Amino acid sequence: MTARVFVPRDSAARSVGADEVAERIAAVAAARGIEVDLVRTGSRGMLWLEPLVEVETPQGRVGYGPVEPERVDGLIGEGMLDGTASGLGPVDELDWLRRQQRLTFARVGVVDPRSADDFERHGGMAGLRAALAMGPEAVVEAVVDSGLRGRGGAGFPAGIKWRTVAGAEADVKFVCCNADEGDSGTYADRMLMEGDPFTLLEGMAIAAYATGATEGFVYLRSEYPDAVVAMEAAIDAARARGWLGEHVLGSDLSFDVQVRVGAGAYICGEETAMLESLEGKRGQVRAKPPIPALEGLFGRPTVVNNVITLASVPWVLAHGAQAYAEHGVGRSRGTSVFQLAGNVKQGGIVETGFGVTLGELVEGFGGGTASGRPVRAVQVGGPLGAYLPVSRFDVAVGYEEMAAVGAMVGHGGVVVFDDTVDMSRMARFAMEFCAEESCGKCTPCRIGSVRGVEVIDKIRAGEDRDANLALLDDLCELMADGSLCAMGGLTPMPVRSAVEHFGEDFR
Amino acid sequence: MVEPPQIRMANDIAAQFRHRPPAEAAGEVAEHIRLFWEERMRADLLAQVAAAPEGDDGIDPIVIDAAALLRADAPGPTA
Amino acid sequence: MSLAKQPDLGTPARPGEATVSVTIDGISVDVAPGTSVMRAAATAGVDVPKLCATDSLEPFGSCRLCLVEIDGAKGTPASCTTPVSDGMVVRTQTDKVAKLRRGVMELYISDHPLDCLTCSANGDCELQDMAGVTGLREVRYGSGVDAGANHLDAPKDTSNPYFTFDGSKCIVCSRCVRACDEVQGTIALTVDGRGFASKIAAGSDVGFFDSDCVSCGACVQACPTATLQENTVIELGVPTRSVETTCAYCGVGCSFRAELRGDELVRMVPSKTGGANEGHSCVKGRFAFGYASHPDRVLEPMVRDSLAEEFRPVSWDEAISFTARRLLEIQGEHGRGSIGAITSSRCTNEEVYVVQKLVRAAFGNNNVDTCARVCHSPTGYGLKQTFGTSAGTQDFKSVAASDVIVVIGANPTDGHPVFASRMKRRLREGAKLIVIDPRRIDLVRTPHIEATHHLQLAPGTNVAVVNAMAHVAVTEGLVDTEFVAERCEGYDEWAEVIARPENSPEALEEVTGVPAAELRAAARLYATGGNSAIYYGLGVTEHSQGSTMVMGMANLAMATGNIGRDGVGVNPLRGQNNVQGSCDMGSFPHELPGYRHVSDDGVREVYEQLWGTPILDEPGLRIPNMFDAALDGSFRALFVQGEDIAQSDPNITHVHAALAALDLLVVQDLFVNETAKFAHVLLPGTSFLEKDGTFTNAERRINRVRPLMAPKTGKQEWEIVSEIAQAMGYPMHYDDAAQIMDEIALTTPTFAGVSHAKLDEVGSVQWPCNDAAPDGTPIMHVDGFVRGKGRFMETTYVPTRERSTRRFPLILTTGRILTQYNVGAQTRRTANVAWHGEDVLEIHPHDAEVRGISDGDRVSLASRAGETTLRARIADRMPVGVVYTTFHHPVTRANVVTTEYSDWATNCPEYKVTAVQVALLTAPAEVEQTADQVPVAGG
């Protein structure tokens, strides 16, 4: 009997030795005359268990992890390849996964991302098939009804955006997937693209069908070479299957996708800067209006959505808007893909319905800090997200709920800090990050971020603290209300939240 | 060979009408010269044409015919 | 006039009716859909603070000073990038936005030198204005070094001779970059780096001078601070008064506000309200005015009895009486027709009008011609024959409505740069381009523009190409039969000829060198691509069939219905500021003002009555005829108004001999030009900065030229001419130039509604301007052709007699370059020489290789007419067998090689085709002669 073994090829797993583990398994099995069918999957998103090796058994896939390469011999000797060695037990039964609602990430870590067959066997293409059967208008309405909002951070209802693009007259329309995942501590886009790239293509095809677009681009950051390879391989396979190109699945839909690799500027994650970059120009923010839905790429109506947004669409279409909307809280429907990082014991992907509390994420899923010291602050939503103290762990995470406490969901990054953190340094870092990544177009961001660093330095040095804190507050107001885009507009969020919740670090 | 200017210019005009029947062509050339040439240029052309030996291949036959028309309508042009 | 700033509404106007009603600070205003809140506010009289916005550029939204509050909208949107919507209620002055604006200014000033009092833009700086407007009282960050990071040490770029870039004063508003992109279309500037390190750069690692910058100055004009500043302002200070006037270079005729300190011209700023240029300019018009105060200017009249003598300065009275006496003596001795005059396309309509009047009324003949003879006389002839009037059909603005633009024998980016910018803007918007030219001009491929077709024809085969295009239209059923049937005549006869197989692209391919398939595709695009417009230049007219080609283009336009509306037409790109006007003013020997033949008794009678003297009903001599007659002894005296015929006319050896044969040559010019070396009388002329009158540009637009200062010579040119007439016994007197225009209006139906008063009131008008068209006529032939029906004219292709031979195997053609102007009398006396110090001969690598010529070698250029030398540049812009040069420098002596061949109908010289040989000069080049050392005789 052939042993079916799953080892992630996700770059997070590879960074801790997954490739060596896979090689070692193959070598040891061969030496022992055991036939092995080694499948390279994405990651299940339990980063503290990587490399996580799974073995197919009649009881389902059982897990071993973390498996260091040097433990492979021993584990095989103990019977890992038939699932008899002691380990994590059935992976699907792990509490950490069972407590999640994996809709968008249902196949990530499960399927072989290089295999269109595997994708289809696990329910792939059901969304696009359903969409093609219902007609473009109904698709738009389903996405509207699902309550799906932009997962890149802005939270704009995807269906409304699609409706605008669908209603615009033009010779050509585009679907642009923003995969310029630049927030520190976030990796959901990458994991999805590496672990289940076909889902993203399916979502883009559905968007194209709904809006009348014919060309798609995945704008991928250059720091994600494995994701580029995965997407390009998936595009080739999808074309071969008739999932892209002329007459997708035999329908009237003609749609193709290309990958474009960015040049490493954080600002290109801002949608209009991304469009400029896609047009071959300097990645600089455009003033809106015109909105990209009407005048986007090359001035044509363009759907710009984040990876997770687009990858959530197939589930919505396959299972119905209602089923999706059943998850969530308030006006935040469906699931959110959180990424636990920083000083956290159990980091990884937590896909769960909106409404989960911060405490549950940090303590429940994360298990507290990796250092074992008390949690002091959590930054939610990337480097421009707010720092929240433990006293706010009761907040149910949703777009409006977070806004009410001066924070945001952003792209779902959750970075944990213990009690050794100096929050004035973190505030400075926010300004420094903005100064580093500002495109330089608007004044508040271009000059303001540099002055912000300098003012915080003066505060930290004890120079005219009160006056400089007042100046910092005015600067934050100016950047928040006066900046052209969210880069400068959100930078004050970590700064102000640090001052507000951790004022003692500024005294 | 250096053409006298009036002959050169008349030949140039004639060349433009060479595809037309000879009588028409001569009429067009004569009309053009009437409208645009100064009196002494016309006189010079007529003198040159008159002085040219029979069968002079330096003067376009259309010009010779046009010259005859111009000679007939002296004095003064019509518009 | 004091220096009044041109109003800036912040963002460009949007087309359409004012149907959107908004309330701004309680004031209601109606504006067109798509108008920005900022512009709506300005329209309502409410100025919103701004720095990155200016109404010549699309909104950008970067400075964040113009934030406003809008009822029902979240936050504080930028008013420049927010379009109005009906019922919108905007508040531009709230505590909230006031605080934000002060915050923005506080940031700007924290990285800006505090040297306002000694800054060259002091008093003319928007940053300074905004600091005032926003009430900035304190910069809490400190300034410059005190604040922290700064750009105070950013270097200056002084590489451009006309302006300086001072990076320390830059606020990175990108107005310069956007002006370069949107207004000029050169796309030379960029923002280098990002964030706080962002800086303006002209290309990578080069200064302005070595970059793609064409020095149009749009960036300087757009700059709100002292960052990009005219050197004259740096040297002289901010101007104190301004006068609206018209550029005296090319036929685009840009309107400028000349800004002065006292009598000193500080800078030229293109007028936003100028119909031709709408706020744009080129390097010549904006910067190259220094010649007007050049020490070479002749300011006193000079006389000599023979060419062997030196000139002697004399009083005006003596110069005028000498001139009149000699003219009368010569006429007495050699007859009425022995004298004549040449008018100048550089002079005003009024100045030209009096010269032709001098000839017709005082000389009593029609021996008057103009330099248009050697450039656009075929345009006059061809368009008159087909359409009924000797002028282009469109206004410049029309190109914005074109879908297909055909450029034939013209190089707009060099020759007519301001119009080229309009054209490029339309091409960037997606209009298709067809270039018909032996040379690959820049427009064929330039940033964001690529010609759909470049028909690289053999020089001299224009007519074959246009006939083949017409053949395609006729034989492929692409003719607008309705237009033709209703509006035209002579179609059937024409179509029968043009449809013959000998006119097919295939049959003509060998002659033209243009692949038949490419030509067919171009013809189809022209005929079916929507609004198709033809723009052409001297590459059309300066041929033995120049007039035929003009008619050929007119035929094609009529056949495809591309006449009589916005976006179409047949349009000469005229070379000189007033070449249209000088032709309009009766400068041709067969026509009285308004293109009316001298044999027309009714027209003559009008002038005879007014002028009180009979007018000859016979055409006079044309310029080349004058030279021929001078050599045969029947033409003895010539008055030349502002034209350097001894340099600019073809076959210079012949011209010099003719000039040397004259008994009297009177030259009226700014400088001792080449022609003046043959002159007996030199009458100093006035520069455009001193003139009072009008210029008429290529779109028939009559623009005012206003004196910035009194004539440096003491007399207006029209006064000199009147006084000569007086001295000859013919009474001629005008109190001022306006009176001359009144006489023109009184006698010329197409000018009946024109007067200086009217132009002062409305800015400019395009003729015809009369009771039927009181506001002028931007587009002609709208409802019917001027001549009634448009007339198809037969255009049989007749090859030029100028052929390449074994002795002269190459064909020379000529053109212009951006920074120099014609014979260079003006531009060579400015810093423009920095760009083009000499003319070079472009030669194809293949032709160069077989002659052993390398880039930069000195070569001889010889034709059967003569020989000159110049430096070679290896270039593949021309096909094999064709060489190219410009003719801006006298030392080039390009016209030594050009021949006597000319357009059959108008005698316009065939400059564009000369059979030549090129050879490597092995001996060191002979001592180069400067402009002023060219020997007087012989050449």
Side-chain angles (χ1 to χ4, degrees), chain B residues 33-53:
Chain B
I33 288 172
R34 265 184 214 115
L35 284 172
F36 297 105
W37 283 29
E38 202 246 11
E39 212 171 355
R40 84 190 87 166
M41 294 164 65
R42 293 205 305 273
D44 181 60
L45 176 70
L46 298 189
Q48 301 256 12
V49 170

Side-chain angles (χ1 to χ4, degrees), chain C residues 455-701:
Chain C
L455 309 186
Q456 201 168 15
L457 75 178
T461 63
N462 285 333
V463 172
V465 167
V466 82
N467 283 351
M469 289 179 74
H471 176 91
V472 173
V474 168
T475 57
E476 294 190 7
L478 310 178
V479 169
D480 184 342
T481 47
E482 200 178 316
F483 182 89
V484 168
E486 270 178 31
R487 300 278 309 267
C488 307
E489 63 188 27
Y491 174 77
D492 292 340
E493 299 85 333
W494 172 78
E496 189 273 316
V497 175
I498 215 80
R500 289 179 193 161
E502 68 259 31
N503 286 320
S504 73
E506 291 73 18
L508 290 165
E509 181 171 325
E510 200 177 333
V511 170
T512 63
V514 178
E518 179 95 20
L519 191 145
R520 279 191 184 273
R524 287 176 196 134
L525 178 60
Y526 175 80
T528 63
N531 285 340
S532 294
I534 295 173
Y535 293 89
Y536 69 94
L538 303 182
V540 159
T541 55
E542 290 177 349
H543 285 280
S544 65
Q545 280 200 301
S547 293
T548 313
M549 179 60 184
V550 172
M551 295 188 290
M553 296 184 302
N555 290 339
L556 186 63
M558 287 189 290
T560 54
N562 279 311
I563 281 288
R565 63 178 188 278
D566 208 14
V568 299
V570 178
N571 300 287
L573 293 174
R574 292 192 174 253
Q576 299 183 309
N577 53 320
N578 199 36
V579 62
Q580 180 69 54
S582 70
C583 298
D584 299 342
M585 291 301 104
S587 289
F588 286 134
H590 65 285
E591 280 171 344
L592 285 155
Y595 303 100
R596 293 166 298 166
H597 202 275
V598 291
S599 63
D600 184 323
D601 296 340
V603 176
R604 270 200 331 281
E605 200 185 318
V606 170
Y607 289 97
E608 285 171 343
Q609 287 211 343
L610 186 70
W611 294 350
T613 182
I615 293 171
L616 190 63
D617 63 355
E618 281 275 342
L621 292 169
R622 303 189 275 209
I623 293 172
N625 312 146
M626 291 177 187
F627 297 148
D628 292 337
L631 285 169
D632 78 17
S634 68
F635 188 74
R636 318 288 294 214
L638 178 61
F639 178 99
V640 182
Q641 179 187 34
E643 189 192 349
D644 196 3
I645 48 179
Q647 191 190 339
S648 65
D649 283 36
N651 195 356
I652 282 181
T653 315
H654 176 78
V655 173
H656 287 192
L659 294 178
L662 292 171
D663 293 338
L664 175 70
L665 176 61
V666 183
V667 166
Q668 182 168 307
D669 207 288
L670 300 181
F671 302 106
V672 181
N673 61 15
E674 299 306 303
T675 308
K677 289 162 190 163
F678 298 90
H680 305 83
V681 180
L682 191 53
L683 303 172
T686 51
S687 78
F688 79 113
L689 303 178
E690 298 142 59
K691 290 185 191 297
D692 186 6
T694 55
F695 291 152
T696 306
N697 75 355
E699 47 167 6
R700 295 168 279 103
R701 186 184 301 278

Side-chain angles (χ1 to χ4, degrees), chain A residues 5-371:
Chain A
V5 181
F6 304 85
V7 180
R9 73 183 330 152
D10 182 274
S11 42
R14 291 177 58 203
S15 71
V16 291
D19 286 346
E20 292 86 336
V21 170
E23 278 166 32
R24 197 71 209 140
I25 289 171
V28 174
R32 295 180 176 231
I34 306 170
E35 250 185 76
V36 168
D37 176 11
L38 193 66
V39 179
R40 301 298 302 270
T41 62
S43 167
R44 293 273 195 167
M46 296 178 285
L47 295 178
W48 73 98
L49 294 178
E50 295 291 1
L52 171 65
V53 176
E54 297 180 35
V55 178
E56 201 166 79
T57 72
Q59 294 75 43
R61 282 156 66 162
V62 299
Y64 299 89
V67 177
E68 294 83 17
E70 52 277 17
R71 278 189 60 211
V72 169
D73 287 55
L75 278 168
I76 289 177
E78 291 164 29
M80 179 176 79
L81 293 181
D82 57 10
T84 54
S86 90
L88 301 167
V91 177
D92 289 337
E93 303 296 312
L94 289 175
D95 185 50
W96 208 78
L97 281 176
R98 281 168 55 96
R99 278 157 54 210
Q100 300 191 24
Q101 286 93 45
R102 288 223 166 168
L103 313 183
T104 306
F105 266 67
R107 283 182 291 265
V108 177
V110 176
V111 297
D112 176 358
R114 293 285 194 278
S115 167
D117 286 339
D118 209 17
F119 170 68
E120 212 169 2
R121 261 199 307 278
H122 283 84
M125 297 311 280
L128 180 56
R129 289 204 167 88
L132 294 174
M134 66 206 291
E137 295 84 6
V139 174
V140 169
E141 292 320 305
V143 176
V144 172
D145 293 345
S146 74
L148 176 65
R149 292 164 71 172
R151 299 290 188 248
F156 189 82
I160 305 291
K161 189 183 280 185
W162 289 19
R163 194 186 278 160
T164 306
V165 177
E169 295 281 331
D171 51 346
V172 58
K173 300 179 190 178
F174 299 102
V175 175
C176 292
C177 172
N178 187 342
D180 193 57
E181 186 176 44
D183 285 0
S184 50
T186 64
Y187 42 83
D189 294 353
R190 180 187 60 67
M191 280 201 167
L192 186 113
M193 289 185 290
E194 290 184 22
D196 187 14
F198 292 104
T199 293
L200 176 56
L201 296 178
E202 184 184 354
M204 290 177 75
I206 294 168
Y209 178 67
T211 59
T214 52
E215 291 180 47
F217 292 92
V218 178
Y219 185 86
L220 241 164
R221 64 196 303 242
S222 57
E223 292 87 342
Y224 284 177
D226 290 357
V228 172
V229 171
M231 285 311 306
E232 282 178 342
I235 288 168
D236 288 345
R239 284 184 189 140
R241 283 295 178 107
W243 295 350
L244 288 177
E246 302 282 315
H247 303 292
V248 170
L249 291 173
S251 72
D252 289 343
L253 172 64
S254 289
F255 179 67
D256 207 344
V257 174
Q258 297 175 47
V259 172
R260 289 291 165 85
V261 180
Y266 178 77
I267 195 62
C268 291
E270 195 283 335
E271 62 173 351
T272 61
M274 180 194 79
L275 294 173
E276 292 280 298
S277 180
L278 274 173
E279 289 178 14
K281 300 180 193 155
R282 172 186 160 75
Q284 201 175 50
V285 176
R286 292 180 192 169
K288 291 184 277 195
I291 55 171
L294 292 173
E295 291 177 40
L297 190 61
F298 300 108
R300 304 307 202 291
T302 303
V303 172
V304 182
N305 279 139
N306 166 259
V307 173
I308 302 302
T309 316
L310 288 165
S312 298
V313 167
W315 197 96
V316 170
L317 273 294
H319 299 86
Q322 204 48 50
Y324 190 75
E326 273 167 17
H327 299 277
V329 65
R331 287 170 49 211
S332 309
R333 308 313 311 173
T335 58
S336 183
V337 179
F338 297 101
Q339 300 122 79
L340 303 185
N343 190 348
V344 66
K345 197 165 156 196
Q346 296 174 166
I349 293 284
V350 178
E351 182 180 358
T352 176
F354 283 104
V356 63
T357 65
L358 260 185
E360 209 172 321
L361 285 171
V362 176
E363 306 286 0
F365 285 95
T369 62
S371 62

Side-chain angles (χ1 to χ4, degrees), chain C residues 8-81:
Chain C
D8 185 346
L9 305 184
T11 66
R14 296 297 181 217
E17 298 288 307
T19 54
V20 181
S21 191
V22 294
T23 305
I24 297 175
D25 294 347
I27 303 167
S28 281
V29 64
D30 294 341
V31 293
T35 301
S36 70
V37 169
M38 174 181 280
R39 190 178 175 98
T43 309
V46 175
D47 280 338
V48 182
K50 61 179 190 297
L51 275 171
C52 71
T54 184
D55 58 13
S56 58
L57 302 173
E58 288 299 315
F60 193 58
S62 76
C63 75
R64 315 311 285 173
L65 266 183
C66 72
L67 306 178
V68 294
E69 292 192 73
I70 298 173
D71 286 7
K74 342 181 257 207
T76 48
S79 62
C80 63
T81 55

Side-chain angles (χ1 to χ4, degrees), chain C residues 66-109:
Chain C
C66 72
L67 306 178
V68 294
E69 292 192 73
I70 298 173
D71 286 7
K74 342 181 257 207
T76 48
S79 62
C80 63
T81 55
T82 305
V84 291
S85 60
D86 206 40
M88 188 182 258
V89 176
V90 179
R91 283 168 299 140
T92 74
Q93 297 294 347
T94 65
D95 291 347
K96 169 86 185 159
V97 296
K99 186 178 178 196
L100 293 174
R101 287 173 190 159
R102 259 196 307 278
V104 168
M105 285 311 299
E106 199 175 1
L107 288 176
Y108 273 131
I109 304 306

